[in-house]
Amino acid sequence: MLQIGPHQFTSRLLLGTGKFPDFQVQKQAVAASEAQILTFAVRRMNIFEASQPNFLSLLDTTAFTLLPNTAGAKTAEEAVRIAKLAKASGLCDMIKVEVIGDDKTLLPDPLETLRASEMLLEEGFIVLPYTSDDVLLAKRLQELGVHAIMPGASPIGSGQGIINPLNLSFIIEQATVPVIVDAGIGAPSDAALAMEMGADGVLLNTAVSGAKDPVKMALAMKLAIEAGRAGLEAGRIPKKRYASASSPVEGFSRV
Amino acid sequence: MKLQINGEALEVPDTVTTVTGLLEHYQLGGKMLVVELDGVILDQTAHGHTKLPEGSKIEIVHFVGGG
């Protein structure tokens, strides 16, 4: 069970909803992923195209927990405003704090992220900050009382996987709240590795929406996350330098 | 009445007096959206009785796909 604030989830895969080829594929991918948490962005509505379909209107919103993000915000104040707009929908109380500090790498601004998280906690939000893999920042956010830490595996949409497993392992080891690896996942093996390392969940988007077959990749990610988690719980064997026979050494039949 | 909606200067008929009226004017009634009027984010239940002052700045936002 993944517990974030008052919410409980059986799925440990959080799925982003951006950049899918079309709503039909997206709907099937969401179903295949069995994700219970879906992220969204908040944007101005095109009021002159009222008939334009919106993915949310195709979803049974009561079947999912919506996790809006503050993407686009560059300061804590902007992030707080976006979070409040999202909450006023009446559809959610969780917020993914995303304050980007650099347009090229899309890496989060640690200071503004910290400030935004503090302000949002005071406002009573369930706060999930997207952060770099900085161990001390994760600790500081945790001390503030955030409900989960979401360190990036590598830059958003890069598909590079976990580029600093050591830092990630330090974050996981010292965590007192769920750690959700967010951003940079490319292959199912990346997601499985994150789970084997002890992450509580994985948030991904482009790895699925950008795959040749997003529906199949959604399934692959679900299975990888389940496999990684089961592997963690099962307890892997230690790595040894030399071989250790799996068949009995005694009793070999010789002529 | 002149309004600024999502950064654009627009004119709506004088029959539009409330937020609900404005949403209906643009055929947005019943859509999942959030309205901010002159910097104040409105509860869903407030649309019906919130009057639109001349020249107000209005933001109408919704959820779109994002990660």
Side-chain angles (χ1 to χ4, degrees):
Chain A
M1 227 28 145
L2 172 62
Q3 174 116 25
I4 302 172
H7 305 291
Q8 283 192 333
F9 306 97
T10 49
S11 161
R12 293 176 180 274
L13 167 57
L14 293 76
L15 190 64
T17 57
K19 300 191 289 188
F20 278 83
D22 62 66
F23 286 157
Q24 220 34 53
V25 168
Q26 182 165 11
K27 213 174 166 190
Q28 287 171 38
V30 167
S33 75
E34 290 181 25
Q36 293 167 313
I37 303 174
L38 301 178
T39 66
F40 286 92
V42 177
R43 288 292 179 270
R44 278 176 170 170
M45 193 173 214
N46 184 348
I47 57 168
F48 301 109
E49 286 185 44
S51 57
Q52 210 177 32
N54 179 289
F55 183 60
L56 209 58
S57 64
L58 303 176
L59 278 185
D60 172 11
T61 49
T62 58
F64 297 95
T65 299
L66 306 188
L67 176 58
N69 65 36
T70 64
K74 293 194 169 178
T75 64
E77 284 74 17
E78 281 178 355
V80 170
R81 177 171 167 269
I82 298 296
K84 286 181 177 173
L85 284 167
K87 199 177 190 176
S89 69
L91 296 173
C92 48
D93 60 356
M94 299 208 294
I95 189 75
K96 168 175 162 175
V97 180
E98 182 174 344
V99 189
I100 299 301
D102 178 66
D103 288 338
K104 196 167 177 186
T105 59
L106 296 182
L107 289 172
D109 183 322
L111 302 181
E112 292 300 304
T113 300
L114 190 78
R115 227 157 55 77
S117 297
E118 188 166 25
M119 289 155 81
L120 289 165
L121 285 166
E122 273 170 29
E123 298 273 352
F125 282 84
I126 307 297
V127 179
L128 296 81
Y130 161 62
T131 74
S132 62
D133 57 14
D134 187 280
V135 185
L136 271 299
L137 176 62
K139 201 161 177 240
R140 288 292 196 92
L141 285 163
Q142 209 167 266
E143 284 163 5
L144 280 182
V146 299
H147 300 84
I149 306 273
M150 304 212 291
S154 50
I156 295 173
S158 72
Q160 291 196 49
I162 302 167
I163 48 170
N164 194 341
L166 188 67
N167 266 22
L168 183 60
S169 71
F170 289 153
I171 290 176
I172 290 168
E173 270 168 42
Q174 54 109 56
T176 54
V177 294
V179 176
I180 294 160
V181 173
D182 179 4
I185 297 294
S189 54
D190 301 330
L193 177 61
M195 297 307 293
E196 284 176 41
M197 288 174 64
D200 297 279
V202 173
L203 196 169
L204 51 87
N205 188 150
T206 314
V208 166
S209 65
K212 203 162 69 181
D213 183 342
V215 181
K216 193 167 267 186
M217 188 56 87
L219 173 67
M221 288 298 182
K222 172 192 110 81
L223 295 172
I225 287 165
E226 286 173 2
R229 178 70 190 183
L232 173 82
E233 288 171 0
R236 62 151 297 154
I237 58 161
K239 289 183 183 176
K240 293 189 224 73
R241 237 168 103 67
Y242 291 102
S244 150
S246 0
S247 307
V249 209
E250 307 295 317
F252 182 73
S253 166
R254 282 194 172 84
V255 285
Chain B
M1 174 166 54
K2 286 189 173 114
L3 298 169
Q4 193 178 323
I5 306 176
N6 288 352
E8 221 176 311
L10 295 168
E11 184 123 21
V12 296
D14 287 341
T15 47
V16 173
T17 56
T18 63
V19 171
T20 297
L22 179 73
L23 296 178
E24 277 165 6
H25 174 69
Y26 287 107
Q27 282 134 40
L28 302 173
K31 294 250 176 199
M32 203 297 299
L33 49 77
V34 175
V35 179
E36 185 189 61
L37 174 63
D38 289 329
V40 179
I41 298 168
L42 303 179
D43 277 341
Q44 300 293 322
T45 52
H47 293 176
H49 57 81
T50 304
K51 299 264 185 252
L52 295 172
E54 173 79 32
S56 2
K57 276 189 175 177
I58 298 158
E59 288 286 316
I60 304 176
V61 300
H62 65 157
F63 287 136
V64 298

